[in-house]
Amino acid sequence: MSRLPWKLQLAVAGTVINLTVLVVVLASRGGGQAEKPANPVQAALVSTNSGTTTSTVPASAPDPFEAKVKPFLVTYCYGCHGAEKQKADLALHGYGNSKSILRDRKTWLSVAAMIKSGEMPAGKGAKPTQHERDFLVTWIDATLNDIDCTNRDPGRVTIHRLNREEYNNSVRDLVGVEFRPADDFPTDDVGYGFDNIGDVLSLPPVLMEKYMKAAQQVAAAAVAADPGRSPTNLQRVEPRNMEGGERDNRERKLMTEGDMFIDVTFPRNGLYEFRIDAYGDLAGDEPPKMILLLDDKEIKSFDVANEAGSTKIYTHQLDLKAGKKKLTLRYPNNFVDQNNPNAKRRDRNLHLRYVEILGPIVDKPELLTPHQLFVAAPKSDGSGWKEAATEILDRLARRAFRRPVSKEEVAKLVKFVEMTKANGDTFEQGIELATTAVLCSPHFLFRIELDPAPNDPEQIRKLNDHELAARLSNFLWS
């Protein structure tokens, strides 16, 4: 069994716990004769001393439940909360000793509160004296707050879901991603004023959906930002595949004001560069204008001053989110002058040879070595990809799961890369998919301490180095 979490140890060490049990003795009356108890409860409370004293019960003292507490319950409580009747679904007859009430702390805290306030016992039956009430409330409080330091069993530790702060810190230190995806998660459950208690950190369906989306974003950003990845993807848009204007062999031209457009998919978030090979037919006092638009939003305007005999590439860089977008090239300033003596200067037009889209681009990567994802790569001919994927994912999973990983676990992750390559995608896209799977795994989303004999309370073990480091880091983070 694992020992208590650091925070709980500190909380216990810093909590003032009252271990004193008061034994209240009825004051003697004239002549030194003690008053005869009116009922069994008072009989149980009478001290053998003639005076009123307060003493601490030694650790070896018999359990006071049978002699003092049970008479109170029999006299005042069993009528409504015993074997025959259980009002409010509360049955007290099943508790036989002090240890038994520790299993139901919440129930007995409620019992103490009701007795202290005078709400219970209710009804027309016999009522306890204030002295009897004080005794039972004091006994319940002392029993529930008593700690047996001779008991070495640390109990079970609930698997701990990462809260929002811990999730953001984990992905940052795992792959060097600087944005905070968990800020979009639902607010964490809070218990006793803390948002990092495993017993109250639930996993609603909407949070699982957020985990999936965040994993995809983090994986895409990690692959795009890594300096060891393969060269940036290049997409070439051929004019013959576009709509609008007129097709002219392998080119496309706009003879009047209008648009050429096509849908383009941007695979990941990042910086993209547009390279447009275009030229114009010149006429009038200005060159043809070419406006680049994405989803009908104007991005950049170019003056296309070169003619058919020359080549110029018009470029523009832009940060984009992943997804499909409508790419448009607009020609807004058509001009015709049939009276111009130079026949080549009578009609202004725009011609397009091609569009290239390079990206996502990463300038000057600054990832620290621990954050780099691609610690291995396939050979130039593509061979050795499985060995490279195994090395990359073994390191990633070990750090993400906060423990050593088995060969079988790594092999399952490598299958994602194999599946991606079989679908015709790149090695990098396979690593991205496998990274997404790692970030969706319960072994990442939860801190799990695996005990070799979880059903044996006598099997007590020390935390291993990985478990201790995980507890310490999350304690310092939160």
Side-chain angles (χ1 to χ4, degrees), residues 76-208:
Y76 301 118
C77 304
Y78 281 5
C80 296
H81 306 287
E84 297 181 0
K85 187 186 299 183
Q86 296 91 38
K87 288 187 176 181
D89 293 326
L90 176 62
L92 299 178
H93 67 285
Y95 299 93
N97 52 50
S98 297
K99 288 184 178 180
S100 65
I101 82 165
L102 295 175
R103 295 193 295 266
D104 292 312
R105 294 177 58 87
K106 187 178 294 187
T107 296
W108 282 91
L109 286 173
S110 178
V111 169
M114 299 292 278
I115 292 175
K116 184 176 182 179
S117 67
E119 296 182 54
M120 293 295 169
K124 299 180 180 180
K127 298 290 189 297
T129 65
Q130 187 61 45
H131 168 67
E132 293 169 333
R133 292 181 187 275
D134 291 343
F135 162 76
L136 189 63
V137 170
T138 300
W139 177 84
I140 292 174
D141 178 70
T143 302
L144 293 181
N145 287 293
D146 185 29
I147 293 180
D148 182 6
C149 296
T150 64
N151 181 13
R152 296 183 61 248
D153 182 7
R156 298 178 183 271
V157 176
T158 304
I159 61 173
H160 180 105
R161 174 177 68 77
L162 300 181
N163 65 16
R164 296 193 300 173
E165 191 67 23
E166 292 166 342
Y167 185 96
N168 282 332
N169 289 332
S170 293
V171 296
R172 180 201 64 209
D173 285 5
L174 184 63
V175 293
V177 174
E178 288 299 331
F179 71 94
R180 298 171 58 85
D183 290 353
D184 190 40
F185 293 175
T187 303
D188 289 313
D189 301 306
V190 175
Y192 307 102
F194 294 94
D195 64 356
N196 61 347
I197 298 178
D199 287 340
V200 300
L201 287 171
S202 59
L203 183 58
V206 65
L207 180 56
M208 194 65 239

Side-chain angles (χ1 to χ4, degrees), residues 175-451:
V175 293
V177 174
E178 288 299 331
F179 71 94
R180 298 171 58 85
D183 290 353
D184 190 40
F185 293 175
T187 303
D188 289 313
D189 301 306
V190 175
Y192 307 102
F194 294 94
D195 64 356
N196 61 347
I197 298 178
D199 287 340
V200 300
L201 287 171
S202 59
L203 183 58
V206 65
L207 180 56
M208 194 65 239
E209 294 176 7
K210 296 286 188 180
Y211 278 147
M212 293 287 291
K213 181 179 179 181
Q216 293 169 348
Q217 292 175 335
V218 171
V223 171
D226 198 285
R229 77 195 194 292
S230 291
T232 305
N233 293 331
L234 178 67
Q235 298 185 65
R236 186 181 178 98
V237 178
E238 297 291 349
R240 64 175 179 270
N241 297 325
M242 300 180 73
E243 298 182 54
E246 301 177 21
R247 183 175 175 180
D248 183 12
N249 294 323
R250 299 182 63 179
E251 300 178 0
R252 188 167 289 271
K253 59 184 179 181
L254 289 167
M255 308 296 288
T256 60
E257 294 176 355
D259 295 344
M260 296 179 280
F261 54 91
I262 190 172
D263 286 338
V264 176
T265 298
F266 298 88
R268 295 186 293 273
N269 299 345
L271 180 67
Y272 288 81
E273 181 174 280
F274 295 84
R275 300 173 178 177
I276 307 169
D277 187 349
Y279 66 93
D281 297 328
L282 304 183
D285 56 1
E286 64 177 356
K289 291 188 179 295
M290 177 178 63
I291 301 176
L292 170 65
L293 301 96
L294 286 177
D295 287 339
D296 297 323
K297 180 181 179 181
E298 183 173 328
I299 303 300
K300 177 71 173 178
S301 179
F302 304 94
D303 288 337
V304 183
N306 59 301
E307 298 184 88
S310 62
T311 299
K312 181 175 180 179
I313 306 299
Y314 298 88
T315 64
H316 182 67
Q317 291 187 348
L318 182 66
D319 280 308
L320 294 173
K321 298 291 186 181
K324 182 179 291 186
K325 302 181 186 298
K326 179 183 177 183
L327 169 66
T328 302
L329 294 176
R330 177 169 295 166
Y331 171 46
N333 63 330
N334 189 51
F335 178 83
V336 177
D337 180 9
Q338 297 296 348
N339 298 322
N340 193 310
N342 185 348
K344 294 182 179 181
R345 295 291 186 264
R346 292 176 181 173
D347 191 5
R348 183 188 301 159
N349 302 298
L350 178 65
H351 299 258
L352 175 67
R353 293 192 180 104
Y354 64 81
V355 178
E356 287 183 341
I357 303 172
L358 184 69
I361 302 170
V362 180
D363 288 331
K364 299 178 182 178
E366 298 178 354
L367 284 180
L368 299 176
T369 300
H371 297 157
Q372 292 180 8
L373 190 59
F374 290 90
V375 294
K379 297 178 181 178
S380 57
D381 60 359
S383 63
W385 66 265
K386 184 171 287 189
E387 292 76 9
T390 299
E391 184 175 347
I392 291 170
L393 296 174
D394 179 86
R395 178 177 179 273
L396 176 68
R398 174 171 49 81
R399 297 174 65 237
F401 297 168
R402 310 167 192 90
R403 59 172 174 79
V405 291
S406 66
K407 292 182 179 179
E408 291 76 15
E409 288 177 305
V410 178
K412 290 179 181 179
L413 294 173
V414 173
K415 284 188 178 295
F416 286 103
V417 184
E418 183 177 359
M419 179 178 64
T420 304
K421 287 183 66 64
N423 197 41
D425 293 320
T426 65
F427 175 78
E428 288 75 17
Q429 288 172 308
I431 295 297
E432 181 178 327
L433 181 61
T435 302
T436 302
V438 168
L439 297 177
C440 288
S441 170
H443 294 284
F444 171 71
L445 299 175
F446 291 84
R447 293 205 330 263
I448 303 174
E449 296 170 359
L450 300 174
D451 289 328

Side-chain angles (χ1 to χ4, degrees), residues 59-78:
S60 60
D63 185 352
F65 184 91
E66 187 68 31
K68 300 180 180 181
V69 177
K70 189 172 182 179
F72 184 103
L73 300 179
V74 170
T75 303
Y76 301 118
C77 304
Y78 281 5

